Amino acid sequence: MTLYTSMPLELVLSGMNEQPGPYVDIVIGDIKMQVEPMSPGIGKIVRLLECPLDAYLNPQYSPGTMIAYSAPQA
């Protein structure tokens, strides 16, 4: 792959080796999703894991949306 850019290579590749996370898997209704906790009880949706196909069209569950949730029961 060839990348043509006027940006410094360090800036283009910054964060490439960093691990994302930690993520929490939660279930709301019939939708299982992966959430990145932002504060207690509030998180940002990373991706939908298991859900009906029409849930992907619902803007309420799009990645990057902030959502309130309760802590998973152990």
Side-chain angles (χ1 to χ4, degrees):
M1 178 176 91
T2 304
L3 177 65
Y4 296 100
T5 180
S6 59
M7 296 173 58
L9 185 60
E10 296 80 23
L11 186 60
V12 173
L13 299 178
S14 67
M16 185 172 165
N17 294 325
E18 294 176 10
Q19 283 294 106
Y23 298 136
V24 177
D25 293 349
I26 62 168
V27 177
I28 297 179
D30 58 348
I31 300 173
K32 182 176 181 182
M33 62 183 76
Q34 194 173 52
V35 174
E36 179 180 4
M38 293 291 152
S39 64
I42 298 176
K44 182 171 34 172
I45 298 175
V46 176
R47 62 182 173 159
L48 302 180
L49 299 173
E50 295 175 14
C51 62
L53 293 178
D54 60 342
Y56 289 100
L57 300 175
N58 189 343
Q60 180 180 355
Y61 300 120
S62 63
T65 303
M66 300 298 276
I67 193 166
Y69 67 95
S70 58
Q73 302 293 324

